[in-house]
Amino acid sequence: MMMKDTMRILFAALAAFATVAHPVQADTSAAAVPSGDALVELVLGKHVRPENGSKGQVASFYEGGVFKQRTPGGDVRELSWRVEGSQICLANGDQGECFQVISTGDDHITLKALAGKRKENTQKMLFVNEQGIPQG
């Protein structure tokens, strides 16, 4: 039962990252993608939501590897996050998935799913405030 709950929570958080009703094209003309400490610095303390997502769907990167996702209904799920090179990895216990950062900008970060049904799909994540309103 616990494994099933873990997978459901992880899937919901990953869906927030990889919702791809309309896949976006990667901006390959963007500056070099940050990795390691530079990528941590880029996302730490930031809130994001899918470009085509609702304002109520917000994910946040906190100190200590804490990742919180708020659903449009107001439920909050907590996972862990870490950076591996130019990938952002999310986990719930020992279950997890990584997303390749393929472009960044002042107002967004674009991620590519590396596994599962959404493999190779990309999602532009807007930097937003805690209410889900885009910054910039």
Side-chain angles (χ1 to χ4, degrees):
M1 177 71 171
M2 188 167 184
M3 178 67 129
K4 191 179 282 186
D5 290 341
T6 297
M7 290 304 294
R8 189 181 75 243
I9 291 168
L10 182 59
F11 178 76
L14 298 176
F17 254 48
T19 301
V20 285
H22 305 287
V24 297
Q25 294 293 83
D27 180 4
T28 55
S29 65
V33 172
S35 65
D37 291 343
L39 183 53
V40 169
E41 187 176 317
L42 176 69
V43 298
L44 184 61
K46 298 269 178 72
H47 311 286
V48 297
R49 74 169 167 87
E51 181 177 43
N52 298 322
S54 73
K55 284 193 310 186
Q57 186 176 356
V58 176
S60 305
F61 296 90
Y62 294 107
E63 289 278 348
V66 175
F67 177 86
K68 290 186 180 180
Q69 181 220 1
R70 187 181 71 230
T71 66
D75 294 330
V76 176
R77 295 181 180 100
E78 187 172 311
L79 297 110
S80 62
W81 72 278
R82 70 184 187 287
V83 166
E84 289 184 3
S86 60
Q87 297 178 8
I88 296 176
C89 302
L90 301 177
N92 188 11
D94 61 354
Q95 301 294 312
E97 186 173 354
C98 295
F99 299 86
Q100 183 69 46
V101 177
I102 57 173
S103 73
T104 62
D106 292 338
D107 64 345
H108 77 281
I109 186 168
T110 303
L111 305 169
K112 178 174 80 171
L114 298 175
K117 292 181 194 177
R118 289 181 270 287
K119 185 175 181 180
E120 299 299 319
N121 287 337
T122 60
Q123 178 63 52
K124 184 175 184 178
M125 303 297 290
L126 302 177
F127 292 128
V128 297
N129 65 17
E130 290 183 67
Q131 291 73 43
I133 300 169
Q135 302 294 289

